[in-house]
Amino acid sequence: MMAYGKNGVVTGMDRVALAVTGQDAATGIARRLAIFGNLVFMAASIVGLILTVQGQSGRWLVFVAMISSSAYSGAVEYQQRGKAPRDERERAVFWKALGIGAFVPCVLAGLWAVLLGHFADQGMWYPDRSQEWEAAGLFILGLMIQITNIAKAWLTPAYAAELLDDD
């Protein structure tokens, strides 16, 4: 018996994944679904940013993708651990994934700023309206969350070992 309750939505998503793939989450399918889901959120963010640049209302799509990736990571974390504190390995994976997730968008934004100085006159995009600045900021924050989630799923091993209750 578990010491904490499960999230019904996430448990339902696990049942769907099991029905579609025929594999248990312990075999690593949950990790692949987390990576795929965050790649979908990342693609939605890119589409929203492009729509905003074209003058349409795409900020909401970037915002929804950022919030969805945050909610997804929180739901998965709660489903896996409940309210139990992280153990040493989980803390190490969390901080390493957060470091990767913060590093990549920071480097990309820095490179963009450096290249902008040289290529702005040749047509390189930069925000010039308030909606574009908001969308760019939300995109960078969302990218950090999505890359962190992907790195965490990548670094977390699949648990296929059976528990021995005979001891």
Side-chain angles (χ1 to χ4, degrees):
M1 178 163 225
M2 299 176 119
Y4 54 88
K6 286 192 172 186
N7 185 329
V9 174
V10 177
T11 303
M13 289 170 36
D14 284 346
R15 283 192 208 124
V16 170
L18 179 61
V20 170
T21 63
Q23 295 180 342
D24 187 15
T27 61
I29 191 68
R31 294 174 37 210
R32 287 178 260 169
L33 284 175
I35 292 170
F36 176 74
N38 279 285
L39 288 174
V40 168
F41 294 141
M42 198 179 298
S45 293
I46 292 170
V47 168
L49 189 62
I50 291 170
L51 288 174
T52 303
V53 170
Q54 293 175 347
Q56 300 175 16
S57 180
R59 284 181 305 175
W60 65 271
L61 186 57
V62 178
F63 178 74
V64 167
M66 181 188 73
I67 294 299
S68 298
S69 57
S70 298
Y72 179 77
S73 63
V76 167
E77 182 120 353
Y78 181 77
Q79 190 262 345
Q80 289 175 349
R81 291 186 308 102
K83 294 182 181 179
R86 290 185 179 101
D87 63 12
E88 186 177 335
R89 183 200 52 79
E90 290 171 333
R91 281 193 307 268
V93 167
F94 171 80
W95 286 110
K96 185 173 185 178
L98 188 61
I100 293 168
F103 178 76
V104 172
C106 181
V107 167
L108 291 175
L111 286 174
W112 176 59
V114 168
L115 293 174
L116 192 60
H118 297 287
F119 298 110
D121 294 335
Q122 283 81 22
M124 187 172 179
W125 175 78
Y126 60 91
D128 59 351
R129 299 185 338 248
S130 64
Q131 294 87 1
E132 291 178 4
W133 279 106
E134 290 173 24
L138 290 171
F139 177 77
I140 291 169
L141 290 173
L143 191 63
M144 184 190 83
I145 295 166
Q146 293 147 5
I147 291 174
T148 298
N149 291 343
I150 290 170
K152 185 176 177 189
W154 191 275
L155 295 170
T156 302
Y159 298 103
E162 294 185 22
L163 297 175
L164 299 175
D165 294 330
D166 302 349
D167 298 341

